[in-house]
Amino acid sequence: MWAITLTEYGGPEQMVWAEVPDPEPGPGEVVLDVVSSAVNRADLLQVQGNYPVPPGASEILGLECAGRIAALGDGVTGWSVGDEVCALLAGGGYATKVAVPAPQLLPVPEGVSLTDAGGLPEVACTVWSNVFLEGRLAEGETFLVQGGSSGIGTHAIQVAKAFGARVAATAGHADRMRFCRDLGADIVIDYHDDVAAELKKATDGHGADVILDNMGAKGLANNLSALARDGRLMIIGMQGGVKAELNIGALLAKRGHVSAMGLRGRPVDGPHSKAEIVDGVRQNVWPLFADGRVKPVIFERFALSDAADAHRRLDAGGVTGKLLLVNS
């Protein structure tokens, strides 16, 4: 097969399209012929050497894909060779073939093309696990997503709205702010402003019951200020750094909850596992695609072999939605 390999850690210039051995399905796994994958911020970190691969996972980049089942490992049931699926991966998506545990497979949602499905598993599983399983977002609550025009943000806006939340989103440019509103955000705030103050103004002082944050350290103080009483802050990224001072008194006063949760290193099966999250997505989120309340948001498509160019595009900023890598 062919895959994007790294000559060494650094930047996109280290990404090389090369021939590598085909994967074989282990027990409980399937091998997919990859039709598409997608670029995530974590992939850029991995290229830089700042996002270690979990033990036993593929060293090849790529945390999601879509394709057709080419082979079944021992013990796999419920799937057949030729089935069109998408999959959550611990690695390996930037390749023409990938082995994946069967519990991490999802059928392609009704109304979504096989190619576009390659940009769904990572965002869907991240949002479901953080906003709904851990964050417990409920109908009528206020939800704030930082970076509303990102791949995660565009999905989170639609799903939270579909579940009856009042949705607030931040963005850094007028065009991207309009984009968030068009997706269904009720409140859109320029992240260069005081987000907490603007949110409180728009919610009569209430703030956000759940915040999904990709900045980490840089946004911690303002996110804490933006939290409603009994609010839940879900941190999923470190774009704004890894260390910050936390005002415990303010957190106690709000009875607040701060959680930092990854997806890649979770176990395949068991409590809090990828299988549990994938099943929740299939049961609760996939029907929203079928009835049109949620749609994939694809910004641009690149050939899989041109993944380095896609990384440069994401790093340049201004992307609204996902960048797809297509195995053409």
Side-chain angles (χ1 to χ4, degrees), residues 263-279:
L263 184 61
R264 189 182 195 184
R266 288 173 182 261
V268 175
D269 292 299
H272 311 292
S273 66
K274 293 175 185 174
E276 182 180 86
I277 294 167
V278 165
D279 184 62

Side-chain angles (χ1 to χ4, degrees), residues 216-218 220-221 242-246:
K218 184 178 180 180
L220 183 61
V242 298
K243 293 183 179 180
E245 185 174 285
L246 175 64

Side-chain angles (χ1 to χ4, degrees), residues 124 126-139 143 155-156 158-165 210 232 234 284-285 288:
T126 296
V127 170
W128 180 252
S129 60
N130 282 275
V131 177
F132 294 95
L133 291 183
E134 182 71 13
R136 308 181 309 282
L137 181 66
E139 183 177 359
F143 169 63
H155 180 78
Q158 295 180 83
V159 176
K161 189 70 176 177
F163 275 90
V210 178
R232 291 83 74 193
M234 316 306 299
N284 297 282
V285 180
L288 303 177

Side-chain angles (χ1 to χ4, degrees), residues 223-312:
N223 280 327
L224 180 55
S225 179
L227 273 184
R229 195 171 299 276
D230 296 310
R232 291 83 74 193
L233 168 60
M234 316 306 299
I235 300 173
I236 59 169
M238 303 173 290
Q239 294 181 47
V242 298
K243 293 183 179 180
E245 185 174 285
L246 175 64
N247 186 332
I248 300 297
L251 189 65
L252 284 169
K254 291 192 172 184
R255 299 191 297 270
H257 174 96
V258 179
S259 179
M261 296 177 59
L263 184 61
R264 189 182 195 184
R266 288 173 182 261
V268 175
D269 292 299
H272 311 292
S273 66
K274 293 175 185 174
E276 182 180 86
I277 294 167
V278 165
D279 184 62
V281 167
R282 182 173 184 172
Q283 298 299 322
N284 297 282
V285 180
W286 260 212
L288 303 177
F289 286 95
D291 65 21
R293 284 185 286 171
V294 177
K295 298 179 180 179
V297 181
I298 308 302
F299 181 74
E300 193 171 347
R301 294 169 173 80
F302 294 79
L304 182 55
S305 57
D306 294 334
D309 290 338
H311 276 226
R312 294 184 184 97

Side-chain angles (χ1 to χ4, degrees), residues 58-106:
S58 172
E59 294 284 344
I60 296 170
L61 298 162
L63 300 177
E64 57 190 336
C65 73
R68 299 178 179 89
I69 295 177
L72 304 174
D74 291 343
V76 174
T77 59
W79 301 100
S80 302
V81 170
D83 284 350
E84 294 187 342
V85 298
C86 53
L88 180 69
L89 308 174
Y94 288 21
T96 55
K97 292 180 179 289
V98 65
V100 54
Q104 292 170 212
L105 295 176
L106 285 155

Side-chain angles (χ1 to χ4, degrees), residues 13-15 58 77 90 94 102 128 151 167 175 182 184 192 204 217 266 305 324:
E13 69 278 0
Q14 307 298 340
M15 299 166 63
S58 172
T77 59
Y94 288 21
W128 180 252
V167 178
D175 288 346
D182 289 344
H192 298 102
D204 296 324
R266 288 173 182 261
S305 57
L324 275 188

